[in-house]
Amino acid sequence: MNGYSRLGNGKPNGGSPTSPIVKGGRGGKGRWFGSMVKPEKLAERLVYIVMSAFFRRKGILLFAPVMYIAGMLMYMGTLNLEAVQEGVGGAILRRAPVGSVYRSPKVFENLWPSMQLDGGNSSLAMMTAWHPKEGQKWKPCVTQTISQAELPISNGYLIVEANGGLNQQRISICDAVAVAGLLNATLVIPMFHLNSVWRDSSKFGEIFDEDYFIDSLKNQVRVVRELPEDIFQRFDKNLSRISNLRVKAWSSKTHYMQKVLPKLLEFGAVRIAPFSSRLAHTVPANVQKLRCFANYDALRFSEPIRMLAENMIDRMVRNSSFSGGKYISVHLRFEKDMVAFSCCTYDGGKEEKREMDDAREWSWRGKFRRPHRMVKPGTVRKDGKCPLTPLEVGMILRGMGFDNTTSVYVASGKIYKEEKYMAPLRQLFPRLETKYTLASMQELAPFEGHSSRMAALDYALCLHSEVFLTTQGGNFPHFMMGHRRYLYGHAKTIKPDKRKLVVTLDNPKIRWEKFKHEMQEMLHRSDAKGIELRSPDASVYTFPMPDCMCRHAEN
């Protein structure tokens, strides 16, 4: 019934036995604020009490505290007074606020016949998806503008510990290069913290090309594989004896020069662990350029990762013959822990709720049961913060004009209830590929159990796709958007407006033409944001212009 639920089946007459106002009779007065009263009925009874007091012209002050509490509850969203009530043969119909409920399967059921009839034109959609701005073109220029002067004598050794997954490690590495350049320090190849979530024991050289990294930076920052023996002996060959400076997140140049440099000069070596997001977004241009150079020029994946990724890209291109060798990549964040952390609800009912409660308890140990933390899935969905399901991704792309001949690469971890949720996306896009379909078990064997190495394969496939669709926030899409801007001068990225999307997907009776119009408008708005200059509080890894790129006028 279009998301409505039926409550009661009595007559609409206010005096009927089923009326919530008179339920319990005159003798039931003590039950009105009892523990068995539902929140939504509490409001109705409060209104009745207040109105009765007004008509009797006495007792108003007695109800002032109650009125205040009810008002606060309504404001905080505890009482569901947004529901629409209608009398239909005595029934009360209630509809949740627009966009607060997952209705996408019903929308798909309604639209699927029209999708099948609408052949679309994948090649045309692929070619016209992007509209570079006329009269200007941004090109990488950091290698031409970065200093090539001979390096002065080093002030000491900087040791950092990168934590998190692949792209959080990437932030730490590039920021460490920038800090080493700022302090005129020698950077020791960053160590990787064994993260309790990612559980990847890979070392720097197993993910990135260590030799290439050191050689590329030789004219900008000294980098060594390990602390020299004579320096190490000063600390009894024990890293824990080296002073670990607790640097706050987003620390400024001034902090490093005033607090870290003196310690570096005093001891000859300092540690900063953890070293995640420890450098401010806004730093001097020469320091910012070191970030750019480290990320886009000095960092490349290790040879085993590069070789397999190149083979997978070639296979993806060959499989994309219907669209001229071009394919779409999707970063799908619908893993069990992501769904659990979002607190969003889908269509799995009691079983889903039990699984998500267990997952939250296992990973976050009571964080979501604290008294002050109110979990409101409907509000999260309305705010556009729920991870998109594979079905929603498929409907978005079909609405944007990509037909069922389009090749799609899905980058993801282990999808929650994969068999159930991936089926409709494969139905919409039969030419769908993942790591596990493009590479054999033998090829993937060295990378299994190492989440950062597997993520590196996804990164390479997404980087070289014609179109990239991001479905949720995080370091992966932020780095990907920036890297694609750096390579192409234009975003070539679809970032759906999820607040508007949930409104569109709330109407199971929406017509196909209307849905297509909404999706193509969304594509146009996303495309218009392709060329964006970095604002002072934004990351250079997402917005490389103008710090890492220069604008060239086109003839």
Side-chain angles (χ1 to χ4, degrees), residues 85-329:
Q85 301 185 18
E86 299 176 11
V88 182
I92 296 177
L93 302 178
R94 297 180 185 275
R95 194 183 196 284
V98 174
S100 64
V101 177
Y102 178 64
R103 306 184 196 278
S104 300
K106 292 183 179 179
V107 177
F108 175 60
E109 184 181 354
N110 171 53
L111 294 181
W112 177 235
S114 299
M115 289 181 181
Q116 290 177 294
L117 294 174
D118 188 347
N121 189 327
S122 179
S123 296
L124 180 62
M126 200 76 77
M127 288 187 293
T128 59
W130 313 109
H131 308 282
K133 304 298 178 289
E134 300 246 341
Q136 61 183 35
K137 192 170 185 180
W138 289 86
K139 293 182 179 179
C141 62
V142 67
T143 52
Q144 289 81 31
T145 57
I146 198 165
S147 173
Q148 299 287 331
E150 184 177 348
L151 295 174
I153 297 173
S154 173
N155 288 328
Y157 292 86
L158 175 65
I159 303 164
V160 302
E161 186 177 282
N163 56 318
L166 173 69
N167 292 288
Q168 194 170 339
Q169 291 169 341
R170 197 176 186 112
I171 292 173
S172 298
I173 294 165
C174 298
D175 281 0
V177 169
V179 169
L182 174 65
L183 300 176
N184 185 33
T186 300
L187 176 66
V188 179
I189 285 287
M191 297 178 292
F192 288 169
H193 173 69
L194 182 59
N195 187 276
S196 59
V197 175
W198 291 90
R199 300 184 184 91
D200 189 344
S201 59
S202 299
K203 295 179 173 57
F204 185 100
E206 293 172 307
I207 300 174
F208 300 104
D209 189 329
E210 200 169 277
D211 291 335
Y212 185 82
F213 181 72
I214 294 171
D215 187 63
S216 297
L217 287 165
K218 65 184 178 183
N219 293 325
Q220 285 78 44
V221 174
R222 291 185 180 89
V223 183
V224 295
R225 287 182 174 80
E226 55 189 23
L227 204 60
E229 186 69 18
D230 60 325
I231 302 295
F232 205 17
Q233 284 182 346
R234 291 187 201 173
F235 303 96
D236 297 328
K237 295 189 175 183
N238 187 344
L239 277 178
S240 63
R241 290 182 176 273
I242 299 176
S243 181
N244 186 19
L245 307 180
R246 296 292 180 176
V247 177
K248 292 182 180 180
W250 316 118
S251 290
S252 66
K253 170 192 172 182
T254 302
H255 177 86
Y256 280 99
M257 298 304 289
Q258 294 182 353
K259 302 293 184 181
V260 179
L261 182 58
K263 296 291 185 183
L264 182 68
L265 293 170
E266 180 181 354
F267 299 116
V270 295
R271 287 192 302 139
I272 304 178
F275 190 77
S276 176
S277 303
R278 291 299 187 267
L279 182 62
H281 288 310
T282 301
V283 291
N286 62 319
V287 178
Q288 200 76 287
K289 288 184 186 302
L290 281 175
R291 272 175 158 164
C292 299
F293 187 81
N295 186 40
Y296 300 119
D297 288 86
L299 266 188
R300 73 179 187 185
F301 292 126
S302 63
E303 186 176 1
I305 293 175
R306 285 201 322 276
M307 288 180 63
L308 179 55
E310 287 171 6
N311 288 335
M312 292 168 67
I313 292 168
D314 287 343
R315 293 164 194 171
M316 196 71 209
V317 170
R318 287 199 302 270
N319 294 346
S320 308
S321 57
F322 280 91
S323 50
K326 299 175 181 179
Y327 63 93
I328 294 174
S329 63

Side-chain angles (χ1 to χ4, degrees), residues 374-431:
M374 187 180 296
V375 176
K376 301 170 75 174
T379 301
V380 177
R381 183 169 294 282
K382 282 176 60 184
D383 287 345
K385 295 178 181 178
C386 286
L388 293 179
T389 62
L391 169 61
E392 290 169 328
V393 168
M395 288 197 292
I396 290 170
L397 291 175
R398 287 295 287 266
M400 289 179 175
F402 302 101
D403 64 22
N404 62 359
T405 66
T406 306
S407 293
V408 177
Y409 179 82
V410 173
S412 73
K414 182 173 175 55
I415 299 296
Y416 172 57
K417 290 189 178 294
E418 183 173 354
E419 186 175 347
K420 170 187 174 181
Y421 284 108
M422 286 297 288
L425 180 56
R426 293 185 185 279
Q427 182 180 345
L428 286 162
F429 291 98
R431 299 176 181 276

